[in-house]
Amino acid sequence: MGFAVDPDRFFDVNEGRGWRTNYGKPVDDWKKLAAVWDRNEHPKTVTPPARTEPKADAVVKIPSVEEVMAKWGCDRETAQGYIDENMY
């Protein structure tokens, strides 16, 4: 069926449980159980969404001179230079 489950381990564990689920119910469909094992042992990897650039019309907050001074520990003139050069 294309599962990546170790068949010997699958059989041994379920044989040891008496072919019962974790809740004690009898296993009605071993193929379905194998599919659940496969899903739990080999979860799909989730890829983070692609990073997108801000839209051209997006509003960018320019910090105040005081905010730049506090962040970088510089004087007012240097902070203003950072703002003018978009280096904040």
Side-chain angles (χ1 to χ4, degrees):
M1 293 180 70
F3 296 138
V5 172
D6 177 10
D8 293 326
R9 182 170 171 264
F10 174 77
F11 179 83
D12 291 342
V13 169
N14 286 293
E15 187 71 17
R17 288 183 182 165
W19 292 95
R20 294 191 173 276
T21 66
N22 290 340
Y23 303 107
K25 295 181 179 181
V27 173
D28 294 331
D29 184 357
W30 68 268
K31 292 178 184 178
K32 184 176 179 181
L33 181 63
V36 171
W37 266 55
D38 187 61
R39 189 171 54 245
N40 290 337
E41 289 191 1
H42 301 90
K44 293 181 180 178
T45 57
V46 176
T47 55
R51 186 174 173 177
T52 58
E53 295 298 319
K55 294 181 180 178
D57 60 348
V59 176
V60 177
K61 181 187 180 301
I62 299 173
S64 68
V65 173
E66 290 77 17
E67 289 172 324
V68 174
M69 289 171 60
K71 180 176 180 181
W72 297 106
C74 59
D75 60 39
R76 180 172 293 281
E77 186 177 328
T78 303
Q80 186 61 55
Y82 288 163
I83 292 171
D84 292 342
E85 297 296 323
N86 294 323
M87 296 174 51
Y88 46 87

